[in-house]
Amino acid sequence: MFPEYRDLISQLKTRDHHFQRLFDKHNELDERIQRMEQGIEPGSHEQIETLKKEKLLLKDQLYDILRKAATA
């Protein structure tokens, strides 16, 4: 996710607790969605779609933080 911000992501993960929480939550959702899609964890199509929307919202929030930090 966001390879152009790889270094900045590493920096923010160590100094910005809010960013770290959002980043971790995004990764947790991604893993859960993958497990559901693979049938490892139970989940309906609707549940998966809801989780994907939540993940996308987190991604948007992370991107906003990254853009602001990159221009600061």
XYZ file of all heavy atoms in Angstrom:
614
model
N 0.840 -1.175 0.000
C 0.000 0.000 0.000
C 0.885 1.238 0.000
O 1.771 1.360 0.829
C -0.897 -0.052 1.243
C -1.731 1.162 1.462
S -2.927 1.031 2.793
C -1.898 0.757 4.206
N 0.645 2.125 -0.937
C 1.365 3.391 -1.073
C 2.887 3.215 -1.117
O 3.608 3.745 -0.269
C 0.992 4.350 0.061
C -0.475 4.564 0.255
C -1.076 4.307 1.474
C -1.267 5.024 -0.793
C -2.431 4.511 1.664
C -2.631 5.226 -0.611
C -3.222 4.970 0.618
N 3.406 2.510 -2.104
C 4.860 2.296 -2.163
C 5.655 3.597 -2.250
O 6.792 3.660 -1.785
C 5.054 1.440 -3.416
C 3.801 1.593 -4.204
C 2.709 1.910 -3.230
N 5.049 4.641 -2.802
C 5.754 5.914 -2.912
C 5.971 6.582 -1.547
O 6.782 7.489 -1.415
C 5.012 6.874 -3.863
C 3.668 7.354 -3.349
C 2.488 6.421 -3.614
O 2.694 5.226 -3.875
O 1.353 6.901 -3.548
N 5.249 6.108 -0.539
C 5.358 6.648 0.817
C 6.000 5.664 1.793
O 5.858 5.806 3.003
C 3.983 7.052 1.346
C 3.367 8.244 0.665
C 2.212 8.116 -0.089
C 3.937 9.508 0.783
C 1.629 9.213 -0.706
C 3.366 10.612 0.169
C 2.210 10.457 -0.567
O 1.640 11.546 -1.177
N 6.695 4.673 1.287
C 7.237 3.610 2.143
C 8.053 4.157 3.320
O 7.840 3.773 4.464
C 8.082 2.648 1.306
C 8.574 1.446 2.101
C 9.241 0.410 1.222
N 8.234 -0.188 0.341
C 8.365 -0.286 -0.976
N 9.433 0.152 -1.582
N 7.427 -0.850 -1.689
N 8.972 5.071 3.050
C 9.807 5.625 4.122
C 8.980 6.437 5.112
O 9.166 6.341 6.331
C 10.929 6.495 3.554
C 11.956 5.678 2.781
O 12.062 4.453 3.026
O 12.644 6.261 1.925
N 8.067 7.243 4.589
C 7.220 8.066 5.454
C 6.316 7.189 6.321
O 6.100 7.492 7.505
C 6.395 9.033 4.608
C 5.531 10.037 5.355
C 6.359 10.861 6.340
C 4.805 10.945 4.366
N 5.805 6.119 5.767
C 4.975 5.190 6.541
C 5.771 4.635 7.717
O 5.281 4.596 8.842
C 4.428 4.049 5.648
C 3.367 4.591 4.701
C 3.868 2.903 6.490
C 2.939 3.617 3.615
N 7.003 4.228 7.461
C 7.856 3.705 8.534
C 8.055 4.741 9.627
O 7.993 4.430 10.819
C 9.213 3.278 7.982
O 9.067 2.193 7.108
N 8.275 5.981 9.226
C 8.461 7.056 10.202
C 7.193 7.294 11.014
O 7.242 7.397 12.243
C 8.859 8.355 9.496
C 10.209 8.328 8.850
C 10.446 9.570 8.003
O 9.798 10.590 8.185
N 11.378 9.463 7.067
N 6.073 7.394 10.329
C 4.813 7.684 11.018
C 4.392 6.549 11.949
O 3.799 6.795 12.997
C 3.708 7.974 10.001
C 3.814 9.308 9.275
C 2.761 9.394 8.175
C 3.696 10.472 10.232
N 4.689 5.325 11.564
C 4.335 4.186 12.419
C 5.054 4.240 13.760
O 4.555 3.722 14.751
C 4.626 2.868 11.709
C 3.577 2.533 10.657
C 3.935 1.365 9.780
C 4.379 0.135 10.479
N 4.694 -0.971 9.575
N 6.211 4.886 13.801
C 6.961 4.945 15.061
C 6.648 6.192 15.876
O 6.813 6.179 17.090
C 8.482 4.898 14.809
O 8.863 6.006 14.000
C 8.877 3.603 14.135
N 6.165 7.263 15.228
C 5.970 8.500 15.991
C 4.528 8.993 16.072
O 4.234 9.927 16.812
C 6.858 9.607 15.428
C 6.478 10.063 14.056
C 7.334 11.228 13.614
N 6.742 11.845 12.434
C 7.403 12.189 11.364
N 8.697 12.025 11.314
N 6.787 12.734 10.338
N 3.624 8.389 15.324
C 2.222 8.830 15.311
C 1.326 7.644 15.691
O 1.062 6.771 14.873
C 1.869 9.366 13.923
C 0.472 9.944 13.841
O -0.412 9.519 14.602
O 0.260 10.829 12.984
N 0.861 7.652 16.937
C 0.071 6.518 17.432
C -1.256 6.376 16.689
O -1.721 5.257 16.454
C -0.161 6.634 18.935
C 1.104 6.555 19.726
N 1.861 5.413 19.809
C 1.767 7.488 20.461
C 2.925 5.633 20.557
N 2.896 6.890 20.962
N -1.861 7.494 16.304
C -3.117 7.432 15.563
C -2.896 6.757 14.210
O -3.659 5.876 13.808
C -3.689 8.845 15.385
C -4.933 8.893 14.566
N -6.119 8.322 14.983
C -5.184 9.426 13.348
C -7.046 8.509 14.056
N -6.498 9.178 13.047
N -1.843 7.169 13.512
C -1.511 6.546 12.226
C -1.253 5.054 12.410
O -1.741 4.240 11.631
C -0.283 7.232 11.605
C 0.082 6.686 10.260
C -0.509 7.167 9.115
C 1.023 5.665 10.138
C -0.183 6.660 7.858
C 1.358 5.150 8.897
C 0.753 5.647 7.757
N -0.505 4.695 13.445
C -0.190 3.291 13.708
C -1.462 2.469 13.918
O -1.607 1.374 13.378
C 0.723 3.171 14.928
C 1.058 1.736 15.311
C 1.916 1.037 14.278
O 2.903 1.596 13.835
N 1.532 -0.154 13.874
N -2.403 3.008 14.690
C -3.671 2.296 14.933
C -4.455 2.107 13.641
O -4.994 1.026 13.371
C -4.508 3.027 15.979
C -4.032 2.822 17.404
C -5.033 3.306 18.434
N -5.367 4.717 18.282
C -4.691 5.729 18.824
N -3.622 5.486 19.550
N -5.076 6.977 18.636
N -4.545 3.178 12.836
C -5.254 3.067 11.555
C -4.583 2.054 10.642
O -5.255 1.236 10.004
C -5.293 4.431 10.859
C -6.133 5.527 11.486
C -5.961 6.824 10.700
C -7.588 5.140 11.570
N -3.265 2.097 10.582
C -2.499 1.187 9.737
C -2.718 -0.264 10.163
O -2.983 -1.141 9.333
C -1.011 1.561 9.811
C -0.152 0.872 8.796
C -0.003 1.404 7.526
C 0.506 -0.304 9.104
C 0.792 0.778 6.578
C 1.303 -0.937 8.167
C 1.444 -0.397 6.898
N -2.637 -0.510 11.466
C -2.844 -1.871 11.982
C -4.265 -2.359 11.720
O -4.475 -3.512 11.329
C -2.537 -1.936 13.479
C -1.051 -1.810 13.774
O -0.226 -1.951 12.843
O -0.720 -1.556 14.954
N -5.245 -1.490 11.929
C -6.644 -1.861 11.693
C -6.862 -2.189 10.216
O -7.552 -3.156 9.882
C -7.571 -0.728 12.144
C -9.031 -1.006 11.956
C -9.529 -2.106 12.864
C -11.031 -2.271 12.709
N -11.543 -3.428 13.427
N -6.271 -1.410 9.322
C -6.377 -1.664 7.883
C -5.823 -3.048 7.550
O -6.439 -3.829 6.822
C -5.631 -0.575 7.103
C -5.653 -0.783 5.628
N -4.749 -1.589 4.980
C -6.494 -0.310 4.677
C -5.027 -1.600 3.692
N -6.067 -0.829 3.479
N -4.649 -3.361 8.088
C -4.033 -4.668 7.817
C -4.846 -5.814 8.402
O -4.975 -6.872 7.783
C -2.601 -4.696 8.333
C -1.674 -3.862 7.482
O -1.968 -3.573 6.329
N -0.559 -3.458 8.048
N -5.409 -5.613 9.599
C -6.256 -6.646 10.213
C -7.485 -6.914 9.349
O -7.865 -8.076 9.131
C -6.693 -6.214 11.609
C -5.587 -6.213 12.636
C -6.005 -5.535 13.940
O -7.215 -5.312 14.158
O -5.108 -5.217 14.737
N -8.109 -5.842 8.860
C -9.278 -6.017 7.999
C -8.902 -6.731 6.708
O -9.638 -7.598 6.240
C -9.902 -4.653 7.674
C -10.712 -4.004 8.780
C -11.141 -2.605 8.356
C -11.922 -4.845 9.145
N -7.768 -6.363 6.136
C -7.318 -7.003 4.903
C -7.138 -8.505 5.105
O -7.602 -9.312 4.286
C -6.009 -6.357 4.439
C -5.594 -6.825 3.064
O -6.431 -6.786 2.137
O -4.429 -7.242 2.916
N -6.498 -8.877 6.197
C -6.288 -10.301 6.485
C -7.613 -11.018 6.723
O -7.824 -12.131 6.235
C -5.383 -10.453 7.700
C -3.948 -10.050 7.425
C -3.074 -10.039 8.672
O -3.506 -10.589 9.710
O -1.975 -9.472 8.605
N -8.522 -10.366 7.437
C -9.820 -10.993 7.716
C -10.625 -11.187 6.432
O -11.237 -12.233 6.213
C -10.608 -10.133 8.707
C -11.871 -10.779 9.154
C -12.471 -10.097 10.345
N -13.680 -10.794 10.723
C -14.733 -10.203 11.250
N -14.700 -8.917 11.514
N -15.803 -10.896 11.541
N -10.606 -10.177 5.567
C -11.313 -10.278 4.289
C -10.744 -11.438 3.472
O -11.498 -12.241 2.901
C -11.211 -8.946 3.506
C -12.043 -7.866 4.199
C -11.652 -9.124 2.056
C -11.742 -6.441 3.743
N -9.433 -11.550 3.417
C -8.805 -12.636 2.669
C -9.210 -13.996 3.226
O -9.503 -14.924 2.460
C -7.287 -12.485 2.683
C -6.784 -11.351 1.825
C -5.279 -11.216 1.846
O -4.554 -12.155 2.166
N -4.786 -10.043 1.514
N -9.223 -14.124 4.568
C -9.620 -15.405 5.177
C -11.068 -15.741 4.842
O -11.404 -16.898 4.576
C -9.409 -15.363 6.692
C -7.956 -15.400 7.114
C -7.772 -15.646 8.599
N -8.551 -14.770 9.452
C -8.131 -13.603 9.962
N -6.907 -13.176 9.696
N -8.918 -12.882 10.737
N -11.940 -14.722 4.846
C -13.347 -14.955 4.512
C -13.500 -15.362 3.050
O -14.253 -16.282 2.733
C -14.181 -13.705 4.796
C -14.419 -13.430 6.247
S -15.363 -11.893 6.431
C -16.019 -12.112 8.074
N -12.783 -14.675 2.169
C -12.890 -14.984 0.742
C -12.341 -16.373 0.419
O -12.801 -17.017 -0.520
C -12.165 -13.913 -0.075
C -12.881 -12.579 -0.083
C -12.157 -11.488 -0.842
O -10.916 -11.553 -0.979
O -12.840 -10.562 -1.296
N -11.376 -16.832 1.206
C -10.798 -18.157 0.997
C -11.589 -19.255 1.719
O -11.258 -20.424 1.600
C -9.351 -18.169 1.477
C -8.446 -17.272 0.664
C -7.072 -17.092 1.292
O -6.786 -17.602 2.373
N -6.215 -16.347 0.627
N -12.609 -18.865 2.489
C -13.422 -19.838 3.202
C -12.788 -20.341 4.483
O -13.279 -21.294 5.094
N -11.704 -19.715 4.918
C -11.038 -20.110 6.160
C -11.843 -19.615 7.362
O -11.931 -20.295 8.378
C -9.598 -19.544 6.200
C -8.782 -20.146 5.057
C -8.937 -19.781 7.552
C -7.445 -19.471 4.827
N -12.422 -18.440 7.204
C -13.243 -17.833 8.257
C -14.634 -17.620 7.677
O -14.768 -17.195 6.528
C -12.618 -16.493 8.661
C -13.315 -15.788 9.786
C -12.583 -14.512 10.196
O -11.346 -14.489 10.179
O -13.277 -13.542 10.538
N -15.686 -17.920 8.451
C -17.033 -17.743 7.910
C -17.358 -16.263 7.694
O -16.923 -15.406 8.457
C -17.938 -18.346 8.992
C -17.137 -18.318 10.239
C -15.697 -18.416 9.826
N -18.088 -16.001 6.627
C -18.516 -14.636 6.342
C -19.369 -14.601 5.089
O -19.037 -15.232 4.091
N -20.457 -13.855 5.168
C -21.338 -13.731 4.007
C -20.778 -12.686 3.050
O -19.887 -11.904 3.393
C -22.743 -13.309 4.465
O -22.701 -11.979 4.985
N -21.330 -12.672 1.864
C -20.923 -11.686 0.861
C -21.142 -10.273 1.410
O -20.301 -9.390 1.208
C -21.720 -11.904 -0.430
C -21.419 -10.897 -1.492
N -20.233 -10.887 -2.180
C -22.141 -9.844 -1.965
C -20.241 -9.875 -3.039
N -21.392 -9.233 -2.926
N -22.250 -10.067 2.098
C -22.569 -8.753 2.659
C -21.550 -8.350 3.729
O -21.133 -7.193 3.795
C -23.990 -8.743 3.242
C -25.090 -8.850 2.211
C -25.314 -10.274 1.714
O -24.879 -11.254 2.366
O -25.930 -10.413 0.634
N -21.152 -9.292 4.567
C -20.155 -8.996 5.597
C -18.815 -8.611 4.967
O -18.163 -7.671 5.407
C -19.955 -10.198 6.521
C -21.120 -10.454 7.453
C -20.953 -11.754 8.209
O -20.610 -12.779 7.623
N -21.202 -11.719 9.512
N -18.442 -9.344 3.930
C -17.185 -9.047 3.236
C -17.239 -7.656 2.611
O -16.290 -6.882 2.731
C -16.878 -10.129 2.179
C -16.568 -11.462 2.868
C -15.721 -9.709 1.283
C -16.478 -12.653 1.926
N -18.342 -7.324 1.975
C -18.480 -6.004 1.355
C -18.432 -4.891 2.397
O -17.821 -3.845 2.167
C -19.780 -5.923 0.542
C -19.753 -6.761 -0.714
C -18.590 -6.415 -1.638
O -18.381 -5.226 -1.929
O -17.874 -7.348 -2.062
N -19.034 -5.108 3.551
C -18.998 -4.119 4.631
C -17.571 -3.918 5.113
O -17.131 -2.777 5.323
C -19.911 -4.569 5.800
O -21.258 -4.667 5.318
C -19.856 -3.585 6.957
N -16.844 -5.006 5.286
C -15.450 -4.909 5.723
C -14.587 -4.211 4.670
O -13.693 -3.430 5.015
C -14.890 -6.296 6.033
C -15.484 -7.005 7.258
C -14.899 -8.407 7.382
C -15.256 -6.202 8.519
N -14.857 -4.479 3.399
C -14.099 -3.817 2.331
C -14.339 -2.311 2.342
O -13.417 -1.525 2.113
C -14.473 -4.395 0.966
C -13.865 -5.759 0.707
C -14.218 -6.245 -0.681
C -13.545 -7.560 -0.992
N -13.850 -8.025 -2.361
N -15.567 -1.900 2.616
C -15.873 -0.465 2.694
C -15.166 0.174 3.880
O -14.645 1.288 3.775
C -17.382 -0.249 2.776
C -18.096 -0.561 1.477
C -19.584 -0.444 1.617
C -20.281 -0.874 0.326
N -21.732 -0.888 0.473
N -15.158 -0.520 5.006
C -14.462 -0.017 6.187
C -12.952 0.094 5.908
O -12.315 1.087 6.271
C -14.713 -0.948 7.372
C -14.138 -0.448 8.673
C -14.427 -1.372 9.838
O -15.306 -2.256 9.735
O -13.763 -1.210 10.874
N -12.410 -0.900 5.231
C -10.988 -0.892 4.887
C -10.665 0.272 3.948
O -9.643 0.949 4.106
C -10.613 -2.231 4.241
C -9.145 -2.370 3.920
C -8.882 -3.714 3.278
C -8.157 -3.497 1.990
N -7.881 -4.673 1.232
N -11.515 0.531 2.986
C -11.307 1.633 2.054
C -11.357 2.979 2.777
O -10.551 3.877 2.478
C -12.354 1.588 0.942
C -12.208 2.600 -0.182
C -10.848 2.468 -0.858
C -13.324 2.415 -1.200
N -12.254 3.119 3.723
C -12.317 4.349 4.510
C -11.014 4.561 5.283
O -10.470 5.670 5.317
C -13.508 4.295 5.474
C -13.693 5.507 6.383
C -13.933 6.772 5.555
C -14.835 5.276 7.345
N -10.497 3.496 5.877
C -9.218 3.585 6.588
C -8.090 3.957 5.633
O -7.224 4.780 5.968
C -8.898 2.258 7.285
C -9.757 1.908 8.496
C -9.486 0.471 8.923
C -9.500 2.867 9.634
N -8.099 3.382 4.445
C -7.065 3.674 3.461
C -7.104 5.155 3.076
O -6.065 5.799 2.953
C -7.244 2.789 2.232
C -6.126 2.912 1.229
C -6.287 1.888 0.114
C -5.112 1.948 -0.845
N -5.242 0.929 -1.897
N -8.300 5.693 2.908
C -8.446 7.117 2.599
C -7.895 7.981 3.730
O -7.217 8.981 3.480
C -9.907 7.474 2.349
C -10.447 6.941 1.032
O -9.636 6.555 0.156
O -11.685 6.896 0.886
N -8.171 7.597 4.958
C -7.668 8.346 6.113
C -6.139 8.282 6.176
O -5.477 9.295 6.441
C -8.275 7.812 7.406
C -9.763 8.073 7.521
C -10.384 7.378 8.726
O -9.712 6.713 9.499
N -11.692 7.528 8.875
N -5.596 7.115 5.933
C -4.141 6.957 5.927
C -3.516 7.816 4.831
O -2.494 8.482 5.055
C -3.765 5.479 5.724
C -4.048 4.553 6.895
C -3.956 3.096 6.449
C -3.099 4.822 8.045
N -4.125 7.826 3.663
C -3.596 8.603 2.550
C -3.606 10.099 2.866
O -2.650 10.817 2.559
C -4.375 8.311 1.270
C -3.827 9.010 0.056
C -2.562 8.695 -0.427
C -4.556 9.985 -0.590
C -2.035 9.340 -1.542
C -4.044 10.636 -1.695
C -2.788 10.313 -2.165
O -2.277 10.957 -3.264
N -4.676 10.558 3.491
C -4.743 11.970 3.877
C -3.613 12.333 4.836
O -2.978 13.381 4.683
C -6.093 12.284 4.532
C -7.228 12.376 3.538
O -6.964 12.540 2.312
O -8.389 12.283 3.959
N -3.370 11.483 5.808
C -2.283 11.726 6.772
C -0.943 11.740 6.044
O -0.096 12.605 6.297
C -2.297 10.674 7.897
C -3.559 10.822 8.751
C -1.046 10.778 8.756
C -3.794 9.680 9.727
N -0.741 10.801 5.143
C 0.521 10.725 4.405
C 0.751 11.962 3.542
O 1.848 12.516 3.517
C 0.548 9.471 3.524
C 0.725 8.152 4.266
C 0.411 6.977 3.351
C 2.126 8.035 4.823
N -0.283 12.405 2.850
C -0.149 13.598 2.012
C 0.199 14.825 2.833
O 1.061 15.617 2.452
C -1.441 13.845 1.246
C -1.600 13.016 0.018
C -2.730 13.502 -0.828
N -3.561 14.440 -0.049
C -4.763 14.812 -0.345
N -5.339 14.376 -1.403
N -5.447 15.645 0.397
N -0.475 14.983 3.973
C -0.199 16.127 4.835
C 1.213 16.063 5.401
O 1.924 17.075 5.470
C -1.227 16.204 5.958
C -2.603 16.614 5.471
C -3.622 16.576 6.580
C -5.015 16.861 6.008
N -6.065 16.628 6.990
N 1.637 14.889 5.818
C 2.979 14.725 6.384
C 4.046 14.948 5.317
O 5.124 15.459 5.619
C 3.111 13.350 7.005
N 3.764 14.579 4.092
C 4.751 14.725 3.015
C 4.975 16.184 2.645
O 6.051 16.555 2.177
C 4.298 13.938 1.782
N 3.972 17.026 2.867
C 4.103 18.441 2.527
C 4.527 19.283 3.725
O 4.764 20.472 3.560
C 2.787 18.992 1.958
O 1.748 18.856 2.933
C 2.413 18.280 0.673
N 4.598 18.665 4.887
C 4.960 19.429 6.094
C 6.458 19.653 6.188
O 7.264 19.020 5.616
C 4.478 18.687 7.332
